[in-house]
Amino acid sequence: MSTVESYLKPEVIRQISRLDLRAQFVVRGFFQGLHASPYHGFSVEFSEHRRYEQGDDPKDIDWLVFAKTDRYYIKKFEAETNITGYIAMDLSKSMGYTYRQEMTKFDYAISLAAAICYLMIHQQDPVGLVTFDTKIRQSLPPKSKRKHLGDVLSLLTNLKPTGETDIAHSLSQLAAMLKHRSVVMIFSDLLSDPDEVFKALYQLRHRQHDVILFHILDEAEVTFPFDGMVELEDPESNEVLKLDAGSYRSDYRKEVEAFRERYRRDASKAGVDYVELDTSMPFDKALTEYLINRRTRF
């Protein structure tokens, strides 16, 4: 896979385009209906409600709030706005792993990121790109022009997962770098200390950014399909572990589930959207299902 077209094939563009009219609300819900988001509605921001007072226009009453509270509240509109998105791509060597899938974790992340870029720019929302391993390596500022899509995808297709990783440090750098409220979409296998990762995620949330954490594992990392004596090598440290796969499988699966559950639980506490994926799910199906789930939840 060495060209933009290999990641954003015509049939994928057509499939995502079919979301356009029917799923504009789905896409809006995905990017705007996030936990504690300042963005409510499609292009209008209202950051607070206030009690209805005599003289207010009854047309401004939020009847959904009334239905829940039995009190009259006015939506306080501030300004027309677009959503600014940042894609943060993990370049760590472990992202290059695959066992029997066509795509590595990195290929999978690139494909999903390309689709999201397409959707955002299609609705004229600016999107930028940041790459990281032990620190931020490259960045493209967010833009919404059609030409920018080509720039982002060109950079994505030339990336290689080769380094060690320090997710927490990189995300702390990103938090310090961003000057305006944004939707930060992180693509990583998260093979790092969750305590440190969440310290950095809280920095992003403290600065009022919405955060979507795409946790991407290879199918084999989830199911552990190996048999007999195997050698497992850490791609970043090159440490090798020899073991009997059959006797280890049950314990391994429990550990992976506990690892994911930790991220589910702590992401919920932090107000971070946690998207649990493995490479056996077609990336366009993963995107579509998640967009639909976002729409139905808000």
Side-chain angles (χ1 to χ4, degrees):
M1 298 186 183
S2 59
T3 65
V4 170
E5 289 76 14
S6 69
Y7 286 116
L8 210 60
K9 297 176 183 177
E11 61 267 26
V12 175
I13 292 178
R14 284 195 295 271
Q15 179 172 353
I16 294 172
S17 295
R18 284 197 294 269
L19 288 172
D20 194 16
L21 291 177
R22 178 179 57 82
Q24 280 187 33
F25 291 102
V26 174
V27 175
R28 294 167 195 169
F30 172 52
F31 290 113
Q32 295 176 296
L34 300 170
H35 298 293
S37 174
Y39 307 110
H40 302 268
F42 180 45
S43 60
V44 179
E45 176 185 350
F46 60 94
S47 63
E48 61 178 303
H49 288 69
R50 62 171 174 79
R51 288 287 188 93
Y52 175 81
E53 298 175 358
Q54 188 173 1
D56 287 330
D57 189 338
K59 293 180 182 178
D60 292 333
I61 293 174
D62 189 326
W63 295 106
L64 289 176
V65 173
F66 172 77
K68 293 179 180 179
T69 66
D70 203 30
R71 294 187 175 90
Y72 296 108
Y73 283 86
I74 297 293
K75 287 182 285 191
K76 191 175 176 184
F77 292 94
E78 292 185 349
E80 295 291 317
T81 187
N82 287 95
I83 298 167
T84 297
Y86 278 90
I87 286 171
M89 186 65 62
D90 184 353
L91 300 179
S92 61
K93 192 173 182 180
S94 65
M95 288 289 286
Y97 175 74
T98 185
Y99 176 57
R100 57 189 175 194
Q101 294 294 331
E102 281 188 30
M103 285 186 165
T104 66
K105 291 182 286 184
F106 193 72
D107 291 334
Y108 191 97
I110 292 287
S111 298
L112 188 53
I116 289 173
C117 284
Y118 177 86
L119 285 169
M120 288 197 70
I121 289 176
H122 188 65
Q123 64 181 37
Q124 299 183 334
D125 288 322
V127 61
L129 173 66
V130 170
T131 68
F132 67 90
D133 44 40
T134 56
K135 63 180 181 179
I136 290 177
R137 294 294 178 182
Q138 297 163 295
S139 65
L140 283 178
K143 297 179 183 178
S144 57
K145 302 282 188 184
R146 287 288 175 149
K147 178 182 178 298
H148 185 59
L149 178 62
D151 294 338
V152 172
L153 297 182
S154 293
L155 178 54
L156 285 174
T157 56
N158 285 303
L159 296 175
K160 301 293 181 185
T162 57
E164 296 181 353
T165 188
D166 189 336
I167 299 171
H169 176 67
S170 299
L171 295 182
S172 293
Q173 280 189 308
L174 180 59
M177 186 178 85
L178 301 184
K179 304 302 181 186
H180 304 286
R181 288 175 176 173
S182 303
V183 178
V184 180
M185 295 160 278
I186 302 162
F187 296 81
S188 175
D189 53 16
L190 299 176
L191 299 181
S192 189
D193 181 354
D195 288 336
E196 296 302 314
V197 171
F198 275 99
K199 286 179 184 177
L201 292 175
Y202 272 107
Q203 290 179 43
L204 286 164
R205 294 293 294 126
H206 180 71
R207 289 167 170 81
Q208 301 185 41
H209 301 296
D210 285 314
V211 179
I212 307 172
L213 197 56
F214 291 95
H215 190 185
I216 301 170
L217 295 176
D218 186 78
E219 178 194 19
E221 291 176 316
V222 176
T223 62
F224 202 75
F226 312 108
D227 289 305
M229 294 299 297
V230 296
E231 290 187 359
L232 304 178
E233 181 178 351
D234 185 319
E236 295 180 29
S237 68
N238 296 320
E239 182 181 350
V240 175
L241 177 66
K242 295 182 180 181
L243 52 85
D244 178 9
S247 63
Y248 190 68
R249 183 177 296 109
S250 177
D251 289 341
Y252 174 88
R253 288 178 175 175
K254 288 178 182 177
E255 288 296 321
V256 169
E257 177 55 27
F259 178 60
R260 287 172 135 185
E261 176 57 30
R262 169 75 187 278
Y263 272 102
R264 287 186 211 114
R265 184 183 67 247
D266 287 5
S268 179
K269 290 179 182 177
V272 169
D273 252 30
Y274 175 67
V275 188
E276 189 176 302
L277 300 170
D278 73 67
T279 54
S280 67
M281 178 182 286
F283 79 90
D284 47 344
K285 180 173 182 285
L287 173 64
T288 303
E289 288 189 358
Y290 182 60
L291 290 174
I292 291 171
N293 288 338
R294 291 301 318 174
R295 175 58 184 155
T296 58
R297 287 173 56 195
F298 291 89

